[in-house]
Amino acid sequence: MAEQTSEQHGEQSAQLSAANTFHPRLGDLALDLAKGGQIGVVVALPSDNAKSYHLRLPGGGGDWRAQPDGTTLRPVTVGITHVSPQRRDVAYDRQVQRASLPITVHHEDGGTSESVLILDPAQVERLHLQFAQLLARRDQGR
């Protein structure tokens, strides 16, 4: 195994931190590490007129500025309540042997987003058996 010089380590960490930088848009919620994890709404972006992000407490109140490169900002995640299948066909890719089921992700704030549930053949078979058992129990109850 080849050894890496400290120069290479420095390049990698610079690439990692640059790739992980969060650049919020207007109206996004952002957590600011420089303010002890305070959450704010982005009300202004860095530009020729403003040299930093401008954030405000949700619902109004205190304002502050955050670094223009976004290094102290992190996205605020909203919890997921449940996931439901969409009314679209499941696709199967024979080359990679994966099924993809379009789903809707339901968030705690009432919002939704679309995603895909990826299943390998063993998972598809297990779900097939579980749903067959579920349908049989449903039919017994009628």
Side-chain angles (χ1 to χ4, degrees):
M1 183 163 112
E3 289 185 24
Q4 293 184 332
T5 66
S6 59
E7 245 178 271
Q8 289 170 318
H9 285 295
E11 289 173 6
Q12 285 177 341
S13 62
Q15 289 171 353
L16 287 174
S17 64
N20 293 332
T21 302
F22 174 55
H23 297 284
R25 299 171 295 182
L26 281 177
D28 282 354
L29 286 176
L31 182 141
D32 191 352
L33 298 174
K35 293 284 284 182
Q38 182 68 52
I39 294 175
V41 178
V42 177
V43 295
L45 302 174
S47 65
D48 292 338
N49 299 333
K51 300 294 183 200
S52 59
Y53 285 97
H54 186 167
L55 292 96
R56 181 171 295 139
L57 290 172
D63 293 13
W64 71 94
R65 300 201 177 278
Q67 295 293 323
D69 59 6
T71 54
T72 66
L73 300 178
R74 298 293 182 272
V76 175
T77 57
V78 178
I80 295 171
T81 60
H82 65 284
V83 176
S84 59
Q86 294 179 2
R87 293 179 185 239
R88 297 188 357 218
D89 288 339
V90 176
Y92 188 77
D93 186 334
R94 292 184 197 285
Q95 286 184 316
V96 294
Q97 295 187 1
R98 298 280 189 254
S100 58
L101 171 66
I103 59 172
T104 300
V105 180
H106 301 265
H107 301 278
E108 289 175 344
D109 66 356
T112 60
S113 56
E114 293 184 357
S115 190
V116 179
L117 176 62
I118 304 296
L119 302 163
D120 66 32
Q123 292 169 322
V124 170
E125 290 211 18
R126 187 172 60 247
L127 285 175
H128 173 73
L129 291 172
Q130 290 172 336
F131 278 107
Q133 292 170 354
L134 179 68
L135 291 172
R137 284 194 300 264
R138 182 196 65 178
D139 291 343
Q140 288 173 352
R142 289 183 178 180

